[in-house]
Amino acid sequence: MSVQDQIKQHLKNLDALLVAHYYQRDEVLELADLSGDSLELAKKASLSPHSLIVFCGVAFMGQSVKVLAPQKRVIMPKVACCSMAKMIDDEYFDRSIDTLNQAGIKKEDIFPITYINSNASVKAKVGKMGGVVCTSSNASKIFDYALQTNKKIFFLPDRCLGLNLARKNNLKSCVLGQASKEEIVDSAVICYDGFCSVHQLFTTKDIAFFRQRYKDILIITHPECDPSVVAQSDFVGSTSQIIEFVKNLDPNQAVAVGTEFNLVNRLRSGSKNTFVLSSTIPQCPTMNETTLQDVLLVLESFTQNKSDLFKSMNEIIIPSDVAKYAKIALDRMLELSK
């Protein structure tokens, strides 16, 4: 029996749902029951009738499903760590708030927004402060809501997404650790100094290269890219938004896309008019950790030890107090995204 068939048999026996983010390897994505971006997967996996979720992605994604649906068991073939999510934790969050306080900004005058690329404990900190989680697909809606509070927006951990949102709204912004006290006080949006290592690979030089060689080419980028890149793009959107935008283009339209390689490689597969906006392969190392063998191994482990009394291999467990406040921040996001 092939690895694929063994996985399918385990999923059937366990009544499990196999979930995979768009950035996963082709072999994993092709076998998944459900694929999508962060927002899609968080909603659909948590609402599915299956009691067991097998999540192929990075750790914060599996945590989000567990927080939204604590009654489900969530296991991951690889508990891979997003480099951006690892840039902030509880301690760094508290230090950042202290820095804002020292600049003269009271805690009650701060509205925190955390990108979904953060761990559950950071989401819980944001939830306790009345803040919200966002994804790249709903960031504009969440940002509009935050502006209505008339508070300083503290955007974390992705400085690029925060700066791009501020620019879109014609608001002054700065990056914590790079800005002076005066700049912090003068800014409406204060960004944590985190970033996506993959989306930092795309540059304005890459854009110039493609524009010089292909007449009327469209530059399509993700909002995790540097603001200088976003400013020169023809379309900026989340993973799902990029897929939809490209799908609706004339097949002969040339495009250069600035996002993760696995996704770009699947867009209009085989087309000679679809390019990766980089001179190197922008592949996320942690998203590519999961293999079919890993999926099979975690399913075999769960099958052998599926009692509720025991934690299975790579099972996501979140302390109740963290889950409580992280869920508040995630629920606010889902409500505001409607």
Side-chain angles (χ1 to χ4, degrees):
M1 188 182 293
S2 68
V3 173
Q4 289 90 338
D5 287 339
Q6 290 180 68
I7 290 171
K8 289 177 183 177
Q9 189 61 55
H10 278 298
L11 292 170
K12 182 179 179 181
N13 293 343
L14 295 168
D15 187 29
L17 184 74
L18 183 62
V19 179
H21 189 273
Y22 280 135
Y23 292 173
Q24 291 288 295
R25 295 168 180 247
D26 288 345
E27 64 181 31
V28 174
L29 200 74
E30 288 165 2
L31 202 61
D33 301 305
L34 179 65
S35 60
D37 63 13
S38 298
L39 181 58
E40 287 178 297
L41 297 181
K43 290 193 294 187
K44 292 180 180 178
S46 63
L47 294 173
S48 78
H50 301 273
S51 59
L52 175 64
I53 306 297
V54 185
F55 205 112
C56 301
V58 287
F60 74 80
M61 296 178 180
Q63 286 183 341
S64 293
V65 176
K66 183 64 178 177
V67 167
L68 289 170
Q71 76 281 7
K72 297 184 184 297
R73 297 187 74 176
V74 181
I75 57 176
M76 301 187 73
K78 283 281 188 180
V79 188
C81 184
C82 165
S83 60
M84 184 197 297
K86 200 170 183 178
M87 291 178 187
I88 188 164
D89 58 15
D90 303 35
E91 183 180 349
Y92 280 123
F93 180 88
D94 289 340
R95 285 186 190 177
S96 298
I97 297 300
D98 286 343
T99 299
L100 297 181
N101 293 161
Q102 290 165 17
I105 304 170
K106 296 178 181 178
K107 189 173 182 178
E108 56 267 29
D109 293 329
I110 301 168
F111 189 92
I113 302 175
T114 184
Y115 196 25
I116 199 164
N117 297 42
S118 55
N119 65 44
S121 60
V122 171
K123 290 182 176 73
K125 292 275 186 179
V126 169
K128 281 185 179 181
M129 284 185 64
V132 188
V133 176
C134 81
T135 69
S136 53
S137 59
N138 64 22
S140 290
K141 284 186 177 181
I142 303 301
F143 205 77
D144 289 343
Y145 173 79
L147 290 174
Q148 294 173 22
T149 67
N150 293 317
K151 296 182 178 183
K152 294 277 190 183
I153 295 175
F154 176 41
F155 194 94
L156 60 138
D158 184 16
R159 66 169 186 253
C160 291
L161 181 54
L163 293 172
N164 285 322
L165 286 166
R167 177 180 172 274
K168 182 179 177 181
N169 287 272
N170 298 312
L171 296 171
K172 287 187 177 181
S173 60
C174 68
V175 177
L176 210 57
Q178 299 180 19
S180 66
K181 178 179 177 181
E182 291 72 24
E183 288 172 321
I184 291 173
V185 172
D186 197 39
S187 294
V189 182
I190 303 155
C191 303
Y192 186 83
D193 195 10
F195 56 88
C196 170
S197 57
V198 174
H199 288 97
Q200 293 302 294
L201 295 175
F202 309 111
T203 68
T204 54
K205 288 183 179 179
D206 295 321
I207 295 176
F209 172 87
F210 280 102
R211 292 211 190 276
Q212 287 168 7
R213 283 159 180 76
Y214 300 94
K215 182 182 178 182
D216 299 327
I217 192 170
L218 294 178
I219 305 299
I220 301 168
T221 58
H222 192 282
E224 289 177 18
C225 292
D226 188 82
S228 63
V229 171
V230 167
Q232 293 186 28
S233 301
D234 298 299
F235 179 82
V236 180
S238 68
T239 302
S240 292
Q241 290 164 348
I242 287 173
I243 292 172
E244 187 66 19
F245 182 80
V246 173
K247 183 177 71 175
N248 291 322
L249 291 174
D250 184 307
N252 295 316
Q253 172 66 56
V255 297
V257 187
T259 193
E260 210 276 339
F261 177 75
N262 283 340
L263 174 66
V264 181
N265 199 37
R266 293 185 200 111
L267 292 172
R268 298 196 297 190
S269 181
S271 169
K272 295 180 180 180
N273 295 314
T274 305
F275 307 96
V276 179
L277 185 68
S278 176
S279 57
T280 58
I281 297 177
Q283 199 167 53
C284 178
T286 51
M287 278 290 195
N288 279 270
E289 285 184 23
T290 305
T291 67
L292 287 182
Q293 285 292 345
D294 295 323
V295 177
L296 179 58
L297 182 61
V298 80
L299 285 168
E300 287 176 341
S301 171
F302 192 89
T303 299
Q304 294 166 9
N305 187 23
K306 61 183 178 181
S307 168
D308 288 338
L309 297 176
F310 301 98
K311 180 178 181 293
S312 184
M313 174 183 177
N314 293 356
E315 183 168 2
I316 300 299
I317 304 294
I318 301 175
S320 58
D321 59 330
V322 170
K324 174 185 174 181
Y325 288 102
K327 188 173 189 302
I328 289 172
L330 281 164
D331 282 342
R332 285 189 191 124
M333 174 191 75
L334 294 176
E335 180 62 31
L336 292 169
S337 300
K338 292 180 180 177

PDB file of all heavy atoms in Angstrom, residues 279-312:
ATOM      1  N   SER A 279      15.440  36.770  -7.928  1.00  0.00           N
ATOM      2  CA  SER A 279      16.525  36.082  -8.626  1.00  0.00           C
ATOM      3  C   SER A 279      16.884  34.777  -7.924  1.00  0.00           C
ATOM      4  O   SER A 279      17.630  33.960  -8.448  1.00  0.00           O
ATOM      5  CB  SER A 279      17.763  36.988  -8.680  1.00  0.00           C
ATOM      6  OG  SER A 279      18.160  37.364  -7.370  1.00  0.00           O
ATOM      7  N   THR A 280      16.334  34.574  -6.714  1.00  0.00           N
ATOM      8  CA  THR A 280      16.533  33.327  -5.973  1.00  0.00           C
ATOM      9  C   THR A 280      15.171  32.681  -5.741  1.00  0.00           C
ATOM     10  O   THR A 280      14.130  33.307  -5.941  1.00  0.00           O
ATOM     11  CB  THR A 280      17.203  33.594  -4.618  1.00  0.00           C
ATOM     12  OG1 THR A 280      16.381  34.506  -3.863  1.00  0.00           O
ATOM     13  CG2 THR A 280      18.576  34.212  -4.789  1.00  0.00           C
ATOM     14  N   ILE A 281      15.167  31.430  -5.316  1.00  0.00           N
ATOM     15  CA  ILE A 281      13.898  30.747  -5.052  1.00  0.00           C
ATOM     16  C   ILE A 281      13.401  31.140  -3.660  1.00  0.00           C
ATOM     17  O   ILE A 281      14.019  30.777  -2.653  1.00  0.00           O
ATOM     18  CB  ILE A 281      14.066  29.214  -5.144  1.00  0.00           C
ATOM     19  CG1 ILE A 281      14.468  28.818  -6.558  1.00  0.00           C
ATOM     20  CG2 ILE A 281      12.769  28.518  -4.748  1.00  0.00           C
ATOM     21  CD1 ILE A 281      14.720  27.340  -6.742  1.00  0.00           C
ATOM     22  N   PRO A 282      12.287  31.890  -3.569  1.00  0.00           N
ATOM     23  CA  PRO A 282      11.783  32.355  -2.277  1.00  0.00           C
ATOM     24  C   PRO A 282      10.919  31.291  -1.594  1.00  0.00           C
ATOM     25  O   PRO A 282       9.701  31.398  -1.502  1.00  0.00           O
ATOM     26  CB  PRO A 282      10.943  33.579  -2.666  1.00  0.00           C
ATOM     27  CG  PRO A 282      10.418  33.226  -4.024  1.00  0.00           C
ATOM     28  CD  PRO A 282      11.486  32.425  -4.698  1.00  0.00           C
ATOM     29  N   GLN A 283      11.571  30.259  -1.118  1.00  0.00           N
ATOM     30  CA  GLN A 283      10.860  29.133  -0.522  1.00  0.00           C
ATOM     31  C   GLN A 283      10.941  29.191   0.999  1.00  0.00           C
ATOM     32  O   GLN A 283      12.018  29.349   1.565  1.00  0.00           O
ATOM     33  CB  GLN A 283      11.459  27.825  -1.031  1.00  0.00           C
ATOM     34  CG  GLN A 283      10.572  26.616  -0.859  1.00  0.00           C
ATOM     35  CD  GLN A 283      11.100  25.436  -1.666  1.00  0.00           C
ATOM     36  OE1 GLN A 283      12.265  25.058  -1.557  1.00  0.00           O
ATOM     37  NE2 GLN A 283      10.251  24.841  -2.487  1.00  0.00           N
ATOM     38  N   CYS A 284       9.785  29.089   1.640  1.00  0.00           N
ATOM     39  CA  CYS A 284       9.759  29.126   3.111  1.00  0.00           C
ATOM     40  C   CYS A 284      10.285  27.799   3.654  1.00  0.00           C
ATOM     41  O   CYS A 284       9.676  26.747   3.418  1.00  0.00           O
ATOM     42  CB  CYS A 284       8.333  29.366   3.602  1.00  0.00           C
ATOM     43  SG  CYS A 284       8.187  29.356   5.399  1.00  0.00           S
ATOM     44  N   PRO A 285      11.399  27.806   4.372  1.00  0.00           N
ATOM     45  CA  PRO A 285      11.985  26.547   4.846  1.00  0.00           C
ATOM     46  C   PRO A 285      11.095  25.790   5.823  1.00  0.00           C
ATOM     47  O   PRO A 285      11.008  24.563   5.762  1.00  0.00           O
ATOM     48  CB  PRO A 285      13.297  26.997   5.504  1.00  0.00           C
ATOM     49  CG  PRO A 285      13.095  28.435   5.843  1.00  0.00           C
ATOM     50  CD  PRO A 285      12.203  28.976   4.771  1.00  0.00           C
ATOM     51  N   THR A 286      10.417  26.513   6.711  1.00  0.00           N
ATOM     52  CA  THR A 286       9.598  25.817   7.705  1.00  0.00           C
ATOM     53  C   THR A 286       8.303  25.274   7.096  1.00  0.00           C
ATOM     54  O   THR A 286       7.830  24.210   7.487  1.00  0.00           O
ATOM     55  CB  THR A 286       9.267  26.746   8.888  1.00  0.00           C
ATOM     56  OG1 THR A 286       8.736  27.981   8.397  1.00  0.00           O
ATOM     57  CG2 THR A 286      10.508  27.041   9.689  1.00  0.00           C
ATOM     58  N   MET A 287       7.725  25.989   6.137  1.00  0.00           N
ATOM     59  CA  MET A 287       6.528  25.495   5.462  1.00  0.00           C
ATOM     60  C   MET A 287       6.835  24.255   4.624  1.00  0.00           C
ATOM     61  O   MET A 287       5.944  23.483   4.298  1.00  0.00           O
ATOM     62  CB  MET A 287       5.936  26.583   4.565  1.00  0.00           C
ATOM     63  CG  MET A 287       5.063  27.581   5.300  1.00  0.00           C
ATOM     64  SD  MET A 287       3.518  26.828   5.835  1.00  0.00           S
ATOM     65  CE  MET A 287       2.584  28.308   6.223  1.00  0.00           C
ATOM     66  N   ASN A 288       8.108  24.088   4.275  1.00  0.00           N
ATOM     67  CA  ASN A 288       8.499  22.953   3.437  1.00  0.00           C
ATOM     68  C   ASN A 288       9.040  21.777   4.245  1.00  0.00           C
ATOM     69  O   ASN A 288       9.501  20.789   3.666  1.00  0.00           O
ATOM     70  CB  ASN A 288       9.531  23.401   2.408  1.00  0.00           C
ATOM     71  CG  ASN A 288       8.895  24.086   1.220  1.00  0.00           C
ATOM     72  OD1 ASN A 288       8.542  23.444   0.233  1.00  0.00           O
ATOM     73  ND2 ASN A 288       8.722  25.395   1.295  1.00  0.00           N
ATOM     74  N   GLU A 289       8.972  21.866   5.554  1.00  0.00           N
ATOM     75  CA  GLU A 289       9.474  20.777   6.393  1.00  0.00           C
ATOM     76  C   GLU A 289       8.594  19.533   6.314  1.00  0.00           C
ATOM     77  O   GLU A 289       9.083  18.406   6.375  1.00  0.00           O
ATOM     78  CB  GLU A 289       9.560  21.232   7.860  1.00  0.00           C
ATOM     79  CG  GLU A 289      10.721  22.150   8.164  1.00  0.00           C
ATOM     80  CD  GLU A 289      10.814  22.478   9.642  1.00  0.00           C
ATOM     81  OE1 GLU A 289      10.292  21.682  10.459  1.00  0.00           O
ATOM     82  OE2 GLU A 289      11.406  23.499   9.989  1.00  0.00           O
ATOM     83  N   THR A 290       7.285  19.720   6.205  1.00  0.00           N
ATOM     84  CA  THR A 290       6.351  18.600   6.284  1.00  0.00           C
ATOM     85  C   THR A 290       6.365  17.743   5.024  1.00  0.00           C
ATOM     86  O   THR A 290       6.197  18.253   3.908  1.00  0.00           O
ATOM     87  CB  THR A 290       4.914  19.119   6.528  1.00  0.00           C
ATOM     88  OG1 THR A 290       4.902  19.945   7.697  1.00  0.00           O
ATOM     89  CG2 THR A 290       3.952  17.960   6.714  1.00  0.00           C
ATOM     90  N   THR A 291       6.534  16.439   5.205  1.00  0.00           N
ATOM     91  CA  THR A 291       6.500  15.480   4.102  1.00  0.00           C
ATOM     92  C   THR A 291       5.352  14.497   4.322  1.00  0.00           C
ATOM     93  O   THR A 291       4.767  14.432   5.418  1.00  0.00           O
ATOM     94  CB  THR A 291       7.813  14.690   4.017  1.00  0.00           C
ATOM     95  OG1 THR A 291       7.924  13.851   5.189  1.00  0.00           O
ATOM     96  CG2 THR A 291       9.018  15.616   3.939  1.00  0.00           C
ATOM     97  N   LEU A 292       5.054  13.702   3.313  1.00  0.00           N
ATOM     98  CA  LEU A 292       4.012  12.684   3.461  1.00  0.00           C
ATOM     99  C   LEU A 292       4.391  11.661   4.528  1.00  0.00           C
ATOM    100  O   LEU A 292       3.531  11.145   5.256  1.00  0.00           O
ATOM    101  CB  LEU A 292       3.763  11.984   2.122  1.00  0.00           C
ATOM    102  CG  LEU A 292       3.027  12.798   1.052  1.00  0.00           C
ATOM    103  CD1 LEU A 292       2.821  11.952  -0.199  1.00  0.00           C
ATOM    104  CD2 LEU A 292       1.680  13.307   1.566  1.00  0.00           C
ATOM    105  N   GLN A 293       5.677  11.365   4.657  1.00  0.00           N
ATOM    106  CA  GLN A 293       6.132  10.432   5.690  1.00  0.00           C
ATOM    107  C   GLN A 293       5.829  10.984   7.080  1.00  0.00           C
ATOM    108  O   GLN A 293       5.464  10.244   7.991  1.00  0.00           O
ATOM    109  CB  GLN A 293       7.634  10.167   5.546  1.00  0.00           C
ATOM    110  CG  GLN A 293       8.003   9.253   4.384  1.00  0.00           C
ATOM    111  CD  GLN A 293       7.544   7.819   4.574  1.00  0.00           C
ATOM    112  OE1 GLN A 293       7.191   7.411   5.685  1.00  0.00           O
ATOM    113  NE2 GLN A 293       7.538   7.049   3.502  1.00  0.00           N
ATOM    114  N   ASP A 294       5.978  12.308   7.233  1.00  0.00           N
ATOM    115  CA  ASP A 294       5.657  12.943   8.517  1.00  0.00           C
ATOM    116  C   ASP A 294       4.164  12.825   8.816  1.00  0.00           C
ATOM    117  O   ASP A 294       3.762  12.601   9.962  1.00  0.00           O
ATOM    118  CB  ASP A 294       6.052  14.423   8.491  1.00  0.00           C
ATOM    119  CG  ASP A 294       7.547  14.632   8.374  1.00  0.00           C
ATOM    120  OD1 ASP A 294       8.293  13.845   8.976  1.00  0.00           O
ATOM    121  OD2 ASP A 294       7.957  15.572   7.676  1.00  0.00           O
ATOM    122  N   VAL A 295       3.335  13.014   7.790  1.00  0.00           N
ATOM    123  CA  VAL A 295       1.887  12.899   7.958  1.00  0.00           C
ATOM    124  C   VAL A 295       1.533  11.478   8.392  1.00  0.00           C
ATOM    125  O   VAL A 295       0.751  11.269   9.327  1.00  0.00           O
ATOM    126  CB  VAL A 295       1.145  13.257   6.648  1.00  0.00           C
ATOM    127  CG1 VAL A 295      -0.364  13.067   6.829  1.00  0.00           C
ATOM    128  CG2 VAL A 295       1.448  14.694   6.233  1.00  0.00           C
ATOM    129  N   LEU A 296       2.111  10.505   7.722  1.00  0.00           N
ATOM    130  CA  LEU A 296       1.847   9.106   8.064  1.00  0.00           C
ATOM    131  C   LEU A 296       2.299   8.791   9.483  1.00  0.00           C
ATOM    132  O   LEU A 296       1.576   8.136  10.251  1.00  0.00           O
ATOM    133  CB  LEU A 296       2.565   8.192   7.071  1.00  0.00           C
ATOM    134  CG  LEU A 296       2.406   6.679   7.306  1.00  0.00           C
ATOM    135  CD1 LEU A 296       0.939   6.274   7.283  1.00  0.00           C
ATOM    136  CD2 LEU A 296       3.199   5.896   6.264  1.00  0.00           C
ATOM    137  N   LEU A 297       3.474   9.261   9.856  1.00  0.00           N
ATOM    138  CA  LEU A 297       4.027   8.982  11.182  1.00  0.00           C
ATOM    139  C   LEU A 297       3.144   9.534  12.298  1.00  0.00           C
ATOM    140  O   LEU A 297       2.876   8.846  13.290  1.00  0.00           O
ATOM    141  CB  LEU A 297       5.439   9.573  11.292  1.00  0.00           C
ATOM    142  CG  LEU A 297       6.174   9.328  12.621  1.00  0.00           C
ATOM    143  CD1 LEU A 297       6.348   7.834  12.859  1.00  0.00           C
ATOM    144  CD2 LEU A 297       7.528  10.028  12.608  1.00  0.00           C
ATOM    145  N   VAL A 298       2.663  10.760  12.140  1.00  0.00           N
ATOM    146  CA  VAL A 298       1.847  11.361  13.194  1.00  0.00           C
ATOM    147  C   VAL A 298       0.488  10.660  13.288  1.00  0.00           C
ATOM    148  O   VAL A 298      -0.081  10.526  14.383  1.00  0.00           O
ATOM    149  CB  VAL A 298       1.687  12.888  12.983  1.00  0.00           C
ATOM    150  CG1 VAL A 298       0.621  13.211  11.932  1.00  0.00           C
ATOM    151  CG2 VAL A 298       1.359  13.593  14.296  1.00  0.00           C
ATOM    152  N   LEU A 299      -0.030  10.200  12.153  1.00  0.00           N
ATOM    153  CA  LEU A 299      -1.296   9.456  12.162  1.00  0.00           C
ATOM    154  C   LEU A 299      -1.126   8.089  12.814  1.00  0.00           C
ATOM    155  O   LEU A 299      -1.999   7.635  13.568  1.00  0.00           O
ATOM    156  CB  LEU A 299      -1.831   9.313  10.738  1.00  0.00           C
ATOM    157  CG  LEU A 299      -2.447  10.569  10.126  1.00  0.00           C
ATOM    158  CD1 LEU A 299      -2.677  10.383   8.628  1.00  0.00           C
ATOM    159  CD2 LEU A 299      -3.762  10.919  10.812  1.00  0.00           C
ATOM    160  N   GLU A 300      -0.015   7.435  12.529  1.00  0.00           N
ATOM    161  CA  GLU A 300       0.257   6.134  13.159  1.00  0.00           C
ATOM    162  C   GLU A 300       0.396   6.298  14.669  1.00  0.00           C
ATOM    163  O   GLU A 300      -0.113   5.475  15.448  1.00  0.00           O
ATOM    164  CB  GLU A 300       1.534   5.533  12.568  1.00  0.00           C
ATOM    165  CG  GLU A 300       1.370   5.026  11.151  1.00  0.00           C
ATOM    166  CD  GLU A 300       2.670   4.510  10.550  1.00  0.00           C
ATOM    167  OE1 GLU A 300       3.758   4.874  11.076  1.00  0.00           O
ATOM    168  OE2 GLU A 300       2.607   3.759   9.579  1.00  0.00           O
ATOM    169  N   SER A 301       1.068   7.368  15.080  1.00  0.00           N
ATOM    170  CA  SER A 301       1.248   7.640  16.510  1.00  0.00           C
ATOM    171  C   SER A 301      -0.097   7.867  17.193  1.00  0.00           C
ATOM    172  O   SER A 301      -0.364   7.332  18.271  1.00  0.00           O
ATOM    173  CB  SER A 301       2.144   8.865  16.696  1.00  0.00           C
ATOM    174  OG  SER A 301       2.164   9.278  18.048  1.00  0.00           O
ATOM    175  N   PHE A 302      -0.958   8.643  16.542  1.00  0.00           N
ATOM    176  CA  PHE A 302      -2.267   8.928  17.137  1.00  0.00           C
ATOM    177  C   PHE A 302      -3.111   7.660  17.201  1.00  0.00           C
ATOM    178  O   PHE A 302      -3.827   7.430  18.180  1.00  0.00           O
ATOM    179  CB  PHE A 302      -2.991   9.995  16.319  1.00  0.00           C
ATOM    180  CG  PHE A 302      -4.209  10.547  17.012  1.00  0.00           C
ATOM    181  CD1 PHE A 302      -4.103  11.635  17.869  1.00  0.00           C
ATOM    182  CD2 PHE A 302      -5.450   9.966  16.825  1.00  0.00           C
ATOM    183  CE1 PHE A 302      -5.223  12.134  18.526  1.00  0.00           C
ATOM    184  CE2 PHE A 302      -6.573  10.458  17.473  1.00  0.00           C
ATOM    185  CZ  PHE A 302      -6.458  11.550  18.331  1.00  0.00           C
ATOM    186  N   THR A 303      -3.047   6.838  16.165  1.00  0.00           N
ATOM    187  CA  THR A 303      -3.812   5.592  16.131  1.00  0.00           C
ATOM    188  C   THR A 303      -3.420   4.683  17.288  1.00  0.00           C
ATOM    189  O   THR A 303      -4.272   4.044  17.917  1.00  0.00           O
ATOM    190  CB  THR A 303      -3.587   4.857  14.788  1.00  0.00           C
ATOM    191  OG1 THR A 303      -4.041   5.690  13.722  1.00  0.00           O
ATOM    192  CG2 THR A 303      -4.342   3.536  14.745  1.00  0.00           C
ATOM    193  N   GLN A 304      -2.137   4.632  17.583  1.00  0.00           N
ATOM    194  CA  GLN A 304      -1.636   3.771  18.656  1.00  0.00           C
ATOM    195  C   GLN A 304      -1.943   4.328  20.044  1.00  0.00           C
ATOM    196  O   GLN A 304      -1.986   3.587  21.016  1.00  0.00           O
ATOM    197  CB  GLN A 304      -0.122   3.596  18.503  1.00  0.00           C
ATOM    198  CG  GLN A 304       0.281   2.831  17.254  1.00  0.00           C
ATOM    199  CD  GLN A 304       1.764   2.951  16.940  1.00  0.00           C
ATOM    200  OE1 GLN A 304       2.539   3.470  17.741  1.00  0.00           O
ATOM    201  NE2 GLN A 304       2.158   2.498  15.762  1.00  0.00           N
ATOM    202  N   ASN A 305      -2.166   5.635  20.143  1.00  0.00           N
ATOM    203  CA  ASN A 305      -2.340   6.249  21.460  1.00  0.00           C
ATOM    204  C   ASN A 305      -3.349   7.382  21.376  1.00  0.00           C
ATOM    205  O   ASN A 305      -3.034   8.540  21.591  1.00  0.00           O
ATOM    206  CB  ASN A 305      -0.988   6.773  21.960  1.00  0.00           C
ATOM    207  CG  ASN A 305      -1.048   7.267  23.393  1.00  0.00           C
ATOM    208  OD1 ASN A 305      -1.908   6.867  24.155  1.00  0.00           O
ATOM    209  ND2 ASN A 305      -0.136   8.148  23.739  1.00  0.00           N
ATOM    210  N   LYS A 306      -4.587   7.048  21.023  1.00  0.00           N
ATOM    211  CA  LYS A 306      -5.596   8.080  20.799  1.00  0.00           C
ATOM    212  C   LYS A 306      -6.483   8.364  22.011  1.00  0.00           C
ATOM    213  O   LYS A 306      -7.446   9.099  21.915  1.00  0.00           O
ATOM    214  CB  LYS A 306      -6.461   7.721  19.594  1.00  0.00           C
ATOM    215  CG  LYS A 306      -7.235   6.417  19.715  1.00  0.00           C
ATOM    216  CD  LYS A 306      -7.985   6.152  18.413  1.00  0.00           C
ATOM    217  CE  LYS A 306      -8.733   4.821  18.480  1.00  0.00           C
ATOM    218  NZ  LYS A 306      -9.444   4.532  17.224  1.00  0.00           N
ATOM    219  N   SER A 307      -6.151   7.786  23.138  1.00  0.00           N
ATOM    220  CA  SER A 307      -6.932   8.034  24.338  1.00  0.00           C
ATOM    221  C   SER A 307      -6.858   9.507  24.734  1.00  0.00           C
ATOM    222  O   SER A 307      -5.813  10.146  24.621  1.00  0.00           O
ATOM    223  CB  SER A 307      -6.418   7.176  25.498  1.00  0.00           C
ATOM    224  OG  SER A 307      -6.979   7.596  26.723  1.00  0.00           O
ATOM    225  N   ASP A 308      -7.964  10.063  25.201  1.00  0.00           N
ATOM    226  CA  ASP A 308      -7.996  11.452  25.661  1.00  0.00           C
ATOM    227  C   ASP A 308      -7.112  11.663  26.890  1.00  0.00           C
ATOM    228  O   ASP A 308      -6.808  12.794  27.265  1.00  0.00           O
ATOM    229  CB  ASP A 308      -9.435  11.862  26.011  1.00  0.00           C
ATOM    230  CG  ASP A 308     -10.291  12.029  24.774  1.00  0.00           C
ATOM    231  OD1 ASP A 308      -9.720  12.242  23.694  1.00  0.00           O
ATOM    232  OD2 ASP A 308     -11.520  11.948  24.890  1.00  0.00           O
ATOM    233  N   LEU A 309      -6.709  10.557  27.501  1.00  0.00           N
ATOM    234  CA  LEU A 309      -5.900  10.662  28.720  1.00  0.00           C
ATOM    235  C   LEU A 309      -4.440  10.958  28.403  1.00  0.00           C
ATOM    236  O   LEU A 309      -3.678  11.341  29.279  1.00  0.00           O
ATOM    237  CB  LEU A 309      -5.993   9.355  29.529  1.00  0.00           C
ATOM    238  CG  LEU A 309      -7.388   8.989  30.050  1.00  0.00           C
ATOM    239  CD1 LEU A 309      -7.330   7.628  30.731  1.00  0.00           C
ATOM    240  CD2 LEU A 309      -7.895  10.042  31.013  1.00  0.00           C
ATOM    241  N   PHE A 310      -4.054  10.778  27.154  1.00  0.00           N
ATOM    242  CA  PHE A 310      -2.650  10.923  26.805  1.00  0.00           C
ATOM    243  C   PHE A 310      -2.474  11.906  25.657  1.00  0.00           C
ATOM    244  O   PHE A 310      -3.246  11.931  24.711  1.00  0.00           O
ATOM    245  CB  PHE A 310      -2.054   9.566  26.417  1.00  0.00           C
ATOM    246  CG  PHE A 310      -2.143   8.528  27.492  1.00  0.00           C
ATOM    247  CD1 PHE A 310      -3.152   7.593  27.476  1.00  0.00           C
ATOM    248  CD2 PHE A 310      -1.218   8.501  28.531  1.00  0.00           C
ATOM    249  CE1 PHE A 310      -3.246   6.621  28.480  1.00  0.00           C
ATOM    250  CE2 PHE A 310      -1.303   7.553  29.524  1.00  0.00           C
ATOM    251  CZ  PHE A 310      -2.323   6.603  29.504  1.00  0.00           C
ATOM    252  N   LYS A 311      -1.422  12.666  25.740  1.00  0.00           N
ATOM    253  CA  LYS A 311      -1.069  13.591  24.672  1.00  0.00           C
ATOM    254  C   LYS A 311      -0.400  12.794  23.556  1.00  0.00           C
ATOM    255  O   LYS A 311       0.511  12.028  23.796  1.00  0.00           O
ATOM    256  CB  LYS A 311      -0.130  14.674  25.192  1.00  0.00           C
ATOM    257  CG  LYS A 311       0.306  15.704  24.141  1.00  0.00           C
ATOM    258  CD  LYS A 311       1.190  16.747  24.777  1.00  0.00           C
ATOM    259  CE  LYS A 311       1.633  17.807  23.778  1.00  0.00           C
ATOM    260  NZ  LYS A 311       2.541  17.264  22.752  1.00  0.00           N
ATOM    261  N   SER A 312      -0.890  12.978  22.353  1.00  0.00           N
ATOM    262  CA  SER A 312      -0.318  12.274  21.218  1.00  0.00           C
ATOM    263  C   SER A 312       0.906  13.017  20.699  1.00  0.00           C
ATOM    264  O   SER A 312       1.189  14.153  21.082  1.00  0.00           O
ATOM    265  CB  SER A 312      -1.361  12.146  20.107  1.00  0.00           C
ATOM    266  OG  SER A 312      -0.859  11.390  19.031  1.00  0.00           O
TER     267      SER A 312
END
